[in-house]
Amino acid sequence: MEIIQSQIHNSRPAQFWNLLMTCYNKKLRQTRPEQLHNFIMAPLHSRVNGWSLPLHSFQLITLLLYSYLAVVGFGIYIPLLPTEWKYAAYGAIGIIFVHHLITHLVAVTIDPADRNILVEKNYAKPMPFFDRSKHKHVIQNQHCYLCEADIGPKTKHCITCNKCIANFDHHCNWLNNCVGSRNYWFFFNAVASAVAGNFLMIVVILYVFIQFFVDPAQLRTSPQFENFSKNGTWLAFLPIAPVEMTATGILAIAIFTVLLGGASFLMLGHLLLFHLYLLCKNMNTYEYMTQHRPKQSTESREMSEETASATTCRMEPLQDLSQVRKPDDATPSSVSA
C-alpha cells in the first residue's frame, strides 16, 4: 500500500487523473456480445408470439389495469347512473371493452413472422451462427441467413423475437410481440378501443363524482337503496351482489380511477394519434424512426442503428447485425418509450 501511495504521489497529477477517468470510461465498462472469431451467436430459439416465455412485466400491468377499470366501472359507477343512462352505458362501454379484450389477445397471439418463415421455420430448431466472413449482413437480396429463408422487401429481423417479421412496424412490450402486417390492425384496434373505453369511463366517473355533491338522490335510484334512504350508506356491485360502501370510499376510488385512467388515456391517445399520422403518410413506425433519426457520428449511428424506439413500444430490427454487434462495440441496449 505504501508503494502504491508513493507511486501516485510521485506521478504527474495530469497522468493520475487521466488514468482515473479511463477507469470510469463507460464504453470500457460495457459488456461485449459473445463472439467466436467471425461468428456471432444469436439467441438459441425464436419466439412464437406474445405468450412465448419470458413474458414481459408490461403484459401483467396491461391486464391488471384493464381488469381494474372493468371491475370499478361496471361494478361501482355505472350502476349509480340514472336509469335512462345506465343501460346505454352498459351497452356502449361494454362493447368497447369486449372489443378491446378480443383485439388485444389476438394481437398477442398472432405470429407476425414473414409468410416464408411460417412455412419453413422450425421454432424448436436452434438458430444458426451468423458468419460475417461469408455474409456482411443478416439480410441480403431479400434472404435472411439466420432464418435461412427468402423474405419480403419490408421484412426485418427482430432481435427480441429472433425471426423475420412481415412488414415490420415495431416490437411492442405491452403485447410482448412484434407488430407487423399480420397483426397491425388488431394492434391498432386495441389502441383505439382502449382510448375510447378510457374516455367514456372517465366521463361516467366524473359525472358520478360531480352529481354526488349536486344532487346525490339521482345516484340512488336503484331499488336496493330503499333500505338505506335515511343514512349515508352507498352500495356497489348492483344489482347482483350489493356491497355496502361509505361515501368517502366512493369518492376516493373515483379520484384514484380518474387519475389512473387519465394518465392511460393521455399515453394511449398520443400513441393513437401517432399511428393515425403514420397511416396518413403511408409509412410504418420503423420507417418513420429511420427517416427522423437525428444526425449522429458514425460510431454512435452504428451503435443505435437497430434500436430506435417510439412511444410505449420498442423497435428491435436486425436488418444488419454487423452494425449492432461489432467486436469493438458494446452490446446495444433497448430503449423503451
Side-chain angles (χ1 to χ4, degrees):
M1 181 63 69
E2 293 179 356
I3 296 176
I4 296 175
Q5 292 177 347
S6 176
Q7 290 178 349
I8 295 176
H9 178 74
N10 294 330
S11 62
R12 296 179 181 180
Q15 293 178 345
F16 170 74
W17 285 111
N18 287 338
L19 177 62
L20 183 63
M21 295 304 294
T22 301
C23 293
Y24 285 91
N25 190 313
K26 181 179 180 181
K27 183 176 179 180
L28 297 179
R29 290 185 285 110
Q30 289 176 326
T31 304
R32 296 177 180 175
E34 187 174 358
Q35 304 281 338
L36 292 176
H37 302 289
N38 288 329
F39 293 92
I40 296 180
M41 294 184 64
L44 291 180
H45 298 280
S46 300
R47 297 170 54 84
V48 178
N49 52 32
W51 304 116
S52 299
L53 299 177
L55 300 179
H56 201 282
S57 58
F58 284 3
Q59 287 179 286
L60 178 62
I61 294 175
T62 302
L63 294 176
L64 288 177
L65 178 59
Y66 175 87
S67 301
Y68 173 81
L69 290 177
V71 170
V72 169
F74 292 97
I76 300 178
Y77 296 102
I78 292 180
L80 296 179
L81 293 176
T83 304
E84 60 273 15
W85 292 9
K86 184 184 306 181
Y87 297 106
Y90 274 129
I93 302 178
I95 291 174
I96 292 174
F97 267 63
V98 171
H99 178 79
H100 170 76
L101 180 62
I102 293 174
T103 53
H104 179 91
L105 294 178
V106 172
V108 173
T109 306
I110 285 181
D111 185 347
D114 186 274
R115 180 168 55 182
N116 290 339
I117 305 299
L118 295 174
V119 174
E120 302 176 9
K121 188 172 181 57
N122 181 5
Y123 287 97
K125 180 181 178 181
M127 293 292 287
F129 292 105
F130 177 68
D131 189 354
R132 282 209 309 260
S133 64
K134 296 181 179 179
H135 308 287
K136 183 178 180 181
H137 305 296
V138 170
I139 296 178
Q140 285 183 309
N141 299 322
Q142 294 183 215
H143 180 85
C144 178
Y145 291 97
L146 273 176
C147 294
E148 299 177 334
D150 294 328
I151 56 176
K154 289 189 175 182
T155 298
K156 306 295 179 185
H157 194 103
C158 175
I159 296 175
T160 302
C161 295
N162 199 27
K163 62 185 177 185
C164 287
I165 308 301
N167 295 327
F168 177 85
D169 188 88
H170 65 277
H171 183 92
C172 181
N173 286 333
W174 301 98
L175 300 178
N176 196 33
N177 197 15
C178 266
V179 176
S181 58
R182 289 174 53 81
N183 63 345
Y184 178 83
W185 285 110
F186 292 103
F187 160 79
F188 182 85
N189 274 270
V191 173
S193 57
V195 172
N198 267 280
F199 174 76
L200 292 179
M201 193 63 73
I202 290 173
V203 170
V204 168
I205 297 175
L206 285 178
Y207 172 83
V208 172
F209 185 86
I210 295 173
Q211 195 70 6
F212 178 88
F213 296 99
V214 175
D215 186 8
Q218 294 294 325
L219 305 177
R220 302 171 66 93
T221 57
S222 295
Q224 288 81 359
F225 279 107
E226 294 179 358
N227 297 328
F228 303 95
S229 59
K230 295 182 179 180
N231 57 39
T233 301
W234 288 79
L235 298 176
F237 303 104
L238 295 171
I240 299 175
V243 176
E244 295 184 12
M245 293 186 64
T246 62
T248 303
I250 293 287
L251 297 178
I253 295 176
I255 294 173
F256 175 77
T257 306
V258 168
L259 292 176
L260 185 63
S264 177
F265 173 78
L266 292 176
M267 291 187 294
L268 290 169
H270 180 270
L271 181 61
L272 178 61
L273 291 177
F274 174 69
H275 278 274
L276 288 173
Y277 170 81
L278 294 180
L279 291 173
C280 293
K281 295 293 184 179
N282 193 27
M283 61 193 308
N284 58 40
T285 305
Y286 177 69
E287 292 171 341
Y288 174 87
M289 296 305 296
T290 53
Q291 290 182 14
H292 292 79
R293 183 175 298 132
K295 294 182 179 180
Q296 300 170 324
S297 64
T298 302
E299 181 179 359
S300 298
R301 186 169 58 253
E302 290 178 350
M303 290 290 293
S304 62
E305 181 67 23
E306 306 300 346
T307 56
S309 64
T311 322
T312 60
C313 301
R314 188 175 74 244
M315 296 172 50
E316 294 186 348
L318 190 55
Q319 178 72 11
D320 183 356
L321 196 56
S322 65
Q323 292 179 339
V324 179
R325 295 182 177 178
K326 297 183 67 176
D328 297 331
D329 289 341
T331 303
S333 59
S334 303
V335 180
S336 297

